[in-house]
Amino acid sequence: MSHDTPSLFPHPGHASAPVLFALPSAEATARLAEWLAPQLGPGDVLLLEGEIGAGKTHFARSLIQARLSADGRHEDVPSPTFTLVQVYEAGETEIWHSDLYRLTSADEAIELGLLDAFETAICLVEWPDRLEDLAPPKALSLRFLPGSQPDSRVLALSFTDLRWAVLIDALQLERLRDV
Amino acid sequence: MSAPLTLLGIESSCDDTAAAVVRLAGDRGLILSSVVAGQTALHAAYGGVVPEIAARAHAERVDLCIEEALDKAGLGLADLSGIAVTAGPGLIGGVLAGVMCAKGIAAVTGLPLVGVNHLAGHALTPRLTDGLRFPYLILLVSGGHCQFLIVEDAVSFTRLGGTIDDAPGEAFDKTAKLLGLPQPGGPAVESEARTGDPARFHFPRPLLDRDGCDMSFSGLKTALLRARDQAVAERGGLAIQDRADLCAGFQAAVRDVLVAKSRRAIARYLELAPAEPAFAVAGGVAANSAVRAALETLCTREGVRFLAPPLPLCTDNAAMIAWAGIERLERGLTDGLDLSARPRWPLDDRAAPLLGAGKKGAKA
């Protein structure tokens, strides 16, 4: 590929080449989630991947609370591991926070109403591998990898829908400004 | 003389479909039957537990459950005083299946219909089993939730605080998972912890320094991962003693947090000057002997009666729903056929929001 001509194709993060972000602390993860929260709208799906303790729920909780507090609301954001799905009202739309760990087949995601929610709500999906081929191609994938320190993480962002390219550019600019 | 109140209870808000028949007997309930279909392992919140999320499956099972519950109780629909059903919070498909069925029976028989909050069912269980007097304090640690509630009346609950992230049962399950122990994690971790040294690895006591009754258990996962990986790096694998020490350290941290926050909750509760002070712990955590012993000691010191309802009545069941229905029916509270299923239904919607972690979560 040529880097001489400015082009969105291929954008870093597109398909097989994820964009990496260093998250030095749990606080940094929360700040990223807070930055992302107001940018999301109905039909946006975030697939949160990573092992137990990687920080998926922490990220989701930070994002949901940021979104709710923008409306002047404060709610608990309990882990959805047991309840499978927690739904939050967010102005005109809803936020669906789901944890698919306990699902045994992708069909069960349909029973949960998740496929409809992918179109109408902001969806945060933990353990999205359970969706198999039902994972929407338009989703942004966030993989939380272990960092060098106990509380640090490396976040790998990948996507195929170029809607996310614009957002990730903005995020990178934001980061440069912080430096 | 009219027959004592006898209610059919129906529960289908999460993993299990259940039906039960409970009769009012003095100040408590007599469970004539309690049927749980697709009974999952006790208080297993993680790993290997297959949730029954399909509304269709609930709908198919609920009739059979009701039939079996009536059969076991030796009663027919004509012997009932009413139908109680979980109307939320929970997975909407499941709740709807139960509510629709209850409405159908109520419409055909003319029996009163009573919609019950699933969490109220858990919170009122100590009255079903032991006729506890209001107001009492309860630590509700069933399934995915963990909260302190003052139960002022069958229809009035004050939430003092709860977990801002994982429930303790979930933390035990995830710990077991991370250490390669079987599910459910509670018994597995407890058994390992018996031969472990709780002081060897450092585990945080989250939110201990913060006022109030809120708790956090999610950070223990990170601490556990760190300690585990350290131990593995040192020896090239996880030794049996390492695993026992990790379990003991983790369990001690959970115990300390629960005890410290229970102490605060009891202090708040005693300000009400209850005539017969009591602290009930409903949920799998009460089955952990280290946690239970510490909470019992705390209650003895505070002059508060300690109570832990039997475990089958702390996991999802319909007897608690029938009982909560009896309490509502006694107060003349019934619902019409317009009763709707509610995915979100906080028990205490007056609780003041906290910065960063407020109140009112669905099923929280």
Side-chain angles (χ1 to χ4, degrees), chain B residues 5 7 81-84 106 110-116 155 324-339:
Chain B
L5 282 181
L7 261 71
S81 333
I83 316 288
L111 288 169
L113 175 68
V114 188
V116 169
V155 293
I326 287 175
E327 298 245 34
R328 291 185 74 85
L329 200 57
E330 276 189 302
R331 289 161 179 77
L333 299 167
T334 60
D335 293 275
L337 291 177
D338 57 349
L339 173 69

Side-chain angles (χ1 to χ4, degrees), chain A residues 52-53 61 65 74-79 81-84 86-87 101-103 108 111-112 127 150-151, chain B residues 15 45-46 51 53 56 91 144 159 164-166 170 174 177 222 225-226 344 356 358-360 362-363:
Chain A
I52 294 175
R61 179 176 297 114
Q65 283 176 337
H74 299 278
E75 295 194 20
D76 276 352
V77 179
S79 160
T81 299
F82 187 75
T83 56
L84 305 170
Q86 303 277 146
V87 180
Y101 189 91
R102 299 198 299 139
L103 298 197
E108 291 175 327
E111 295 280 2
L112 279 177
W127 300 99
D151 286 334
Chain B
D15 288 3
Y46 205 71
I53 59 177
R56 194 177 53 247
L91 291 174
R159 193 187 134 120
I164 63 166
D165 40 54
D166 294 356
E170 188 178 336
K174 288 182 179 174
K177 197 107 211 158
T222 317
L225 272 171
R226 186 185 317 172
R344 297 165 53 72
K359 303 286 149 185
K360 292 196 289 185
K363 263 212 139 165

